[in-house]
Amino acid sequence: MTHARAALAIPLALALSFGRVEGQSGTILYNWVAALDVDAPGEMAAVLEVFEARRVPFALHFTPSESLMVRDSASADGEVAPSRFRPDNTNLGTLVRILEAWYAAEPYVLRQAYAGQDGSRVKVFAAPGAELHRVDAGAASVEWRITEQQRQHLGYPVTVAVGEAEGEQIEAWFAPDIPVSGGPALYGGLPGMILVLSLNGGMTTYAATEVSLDGVEEGTIRPPEVGEATSAEEYRAVIAGRIGEVTRLIRGMVRTYRNVECAVGLPGGAMQCNQVRE
């Protein structure tokens, strides 16, 4: 299915503004930014930049009753240039904090987010080693307050709503002319599709870049079947265990060999450590 470019969405949005169309379905592409709040001095600053640069847009396929958000690898940027560092105690400590923040920032590790017409909500997350975990996301519970602020995004009139969920401050720009209560990462509950979503004071932001209301091919939206069924607590425990395992392996290599150097940002997002000549 082809996506309407942002430039083409403007006249379409203007046409839709004359009247609401019930039962809309389509696809929205979202770019996103998720800042990692980590102090990374020296050569680890470049390592942090590599992790923050690994952003793949999302495509949200939706109907009035269900949706599926997936990574849109076809729109992803090219490979990031690798960064190298010496794994001394200080740098290793920084690496652990970067990894912890990276896996805690949902957009980096989210692979799919499904909302079913039966109320089911499932997210698929990545773990080290290309391992996937399927997590029941539970029901959304955002206490929205719709403000009087009106703006424009991609030619669509949007209204600003603010809310809070689990202590996290949320701002959403929703489009009443797309009368579907949905949005990125399973956020919704507003009288219109969310085109811009800001979480935790802007630390994480999703912004629509393209909108197509041409419908969704049959079979595109379906519950995820990939990954191991895991609770949110179990997934966090897996990540903590893998980060600890990586750290122990690197420390063991440093004790065994001299002049070890590690590189991040290798093809496929891999990290590798090797002994190097002086």
Side-chain angles (χ1 to χ4, degrees):
M1 181 176 64
T2 59
H3 303 295
R5 292 292 177 184
L8 298 179
I10 294 176
L12 174 62
L14 292 176
L16 288 172
S17 66
F18 288 101
R20 294 164 64 87
V21 179
E22 299 299 331
Q24 286 181 342
S25 61
T27 298
I28 301 176
L29 297 186
Y30 292 89
N31 281 345
W32 56 271
V33 175
L36 301 181
D37 188 15
V38 177
D39 182 20
E43 60 187 347
M44 297 305 290
V47 173
L48 178 61
E49 290 178 0
V50 168
F51 277 89
E52 288 188 319
R54 288 160 60 182
R55 296 195 293 268
V56 178
F58 286 103
L60 175 66
H61 308 293
F62 67 92
T63 70
S65 59
E66 60 181 347
S67 68
L68 177 67
M69 191 174 86
V70 296
R71 286 161 63 95
D72 186 59
S73 299
S75 301
D77 295 332
E79 292 287 344
V80 179
S83 179
R84 292 172 170 77
F85 66 96
R86 296 282 181 165
D88 57 28
N89 285 334
T90 299
N91 286 348
L92 269 182
T94 302
L95 177 66
V96 168
R97 292 191 293 275
I98 290 174
L99 289 171
E100 290 173 341
W102 195 79
Y103 279 100
E106 184 171 284
Y108 289 110
V109 293
L110 183 65
R111 295 297 179 266
Q112 298 185 40
Y114 170 80
Q117 54 187 332
D118 60 354
S120 60
R121 299 163 61 82
V122 178
K123 292 182 177 181
V124 177
F125 295 109
E131 182 180 311
L132 298 177
H133 291 265
R134 190 172 67 253
V135 178
D136 183 351
S141 180
V142 181
E143 297 181 2
W144 291 112
R145 179 175 64 85
I146 298 176
T147 73
E148 297 181 355
Q149 298 181 56
Q150 304 289 321
R151 301 179 184 177
Q152 292 272 329
H153 189 74
L154 297 181
Y156 288 87
V158 294
T159 301
V160 178
V162 295
E164 183 176 334
E166 299 180 352
E168 186 174 67
Q169 300 301 312
I170 306 169
E171 180 177 288
W173 300 7
F174 69 93
D177 289 334
I178 308 177
V180 177
S181 181
L186 301 184
Y187 283 89
L190 291 165
M193 180 62 68
I194 297 173
L195 298 185
V196 178
L197 180 70
S198 176
L199 306 173
N200 198 20
M203 291 290 289
T204 298
T205 300
Y206 296 88
T209 58
E210 300 179 18
V211 176
S212 169
L213 301 178
D214 295 335
V216 180
E217 292 183 5
E218 185 176 353
T220 298
I221 302 176
R222 56 187 178 183
E225 298 178 350
V226 299
E228 179 181 350
T230 310
S231 70
E233 294 75 14
E234 289 171 335
Y235 173 71
R236 288 192 290 269
V238 167
I239 296 304
R242 297 294 171 79
I243 292 175
E245 181 181 354
V246 168
T247 306
R248 288 191 295 273
L249 288 173
I250 296 175
R251 290 190 188 280
M253 187 174 185
V254 171
R255 287 194 297 267
T256 304
Y257 304 100
R258 297 181 57 187
N259 301 317
V260 174
E261 182 182 75
C262 298
V264 297
L266 299 174
M271 179 175 68
Q272 183 174 333
C273 298
N274 295 290
Q275 184 183 22
V276 295
R277 294 181 178 179
E278 295 188 29

